[in-house]
Amino acid sequence: MGGALGNTKELSTFGVCKKLNISRPTLQDWITRGFVCPTIKARGKGTKSVFSNHDVRLIEVFIGMIKHGFSRELAGDCINKMKASGQYSGFNVLFGDDHEIQIKVIK
């Protein structure tokens, strides 16, 4: 990662919550349950989790999937597989009617 949390490519838990308008307990619950994960996990009291812009985008996809009726387990599995593959530089997600999701991978 390289930079300080002030870098626009890195956000703290607080920064992610503010950007996505979600509560800290909600984000912490998702992290604890493994639905979403930061690039760098907090390692105890006084340390901070660090999220990349890519992490934040994946959390946005997770939220969108939940809003479209997918379970948190399925949504989390989907975004964690996307993150683990690492074979793309980005993606666009389109949520359609009837729980349809189109994911365009950018290589």
Side-chain angles (χ1 to χ4, degrees):
M1 297 219 91
L5 283 176
N7 186 327
T8 58
K9 295 184 180 183
E10 300 173 343
L11 290 172
S12 66
T13 300
F14 175 79
V16 173
C17 292
K18 186 174 179 179
K19 182 173 181 153
L20 300 180
N21 195 29
I22 57 175
S23 71
R24 188 174 184 278
T26 295
L27 182 57
Q28 286 301 132
D29 180 58
W30 292 346
I31 293 168
T32 300
R33 293 175 184 234
F35 299 141
V36 300
C37 61
T39 296
I40 301 172
K41 281 190 173 185
R43 299 193 187 269
K45 195 170 187 165
T47 63
K48 295 181 180 182
S49 293
V50 177
F51 297 83
S52 67
N53 283 337
H54 184 73
D55 296 332
V56 174
R57 181 68 178 118
L58 288 170
I59 295 170
E60 288 176 316
V61 172
F62 177 80
I63 292 168
M65 290 180 76
I66 292 169
K67 286 181 179 178
H68 281 81
F70 291 86
S71 71
R72 291 180 298 170
E73 291 77 13
L74 181 60
D77 188 47
C78 179
I79 67 161
N80 284 321
K81 285 180 181 175
M82 290 174 69
K83 184 171 183 171
S85 76
Q87 297 179 3
Y88 57 91
S89 62
F91 52 89
N92 293 317
V93 179
L94 175 64
F95 294 102
D97 296 334
D98 301 323
H99 305 292
E100 177 186 358
I101 296 179
Q102 295 178 7
I103 300 175
K104 179 181 177 186
V105 176
I106 303 167
K107 293 187 178 195

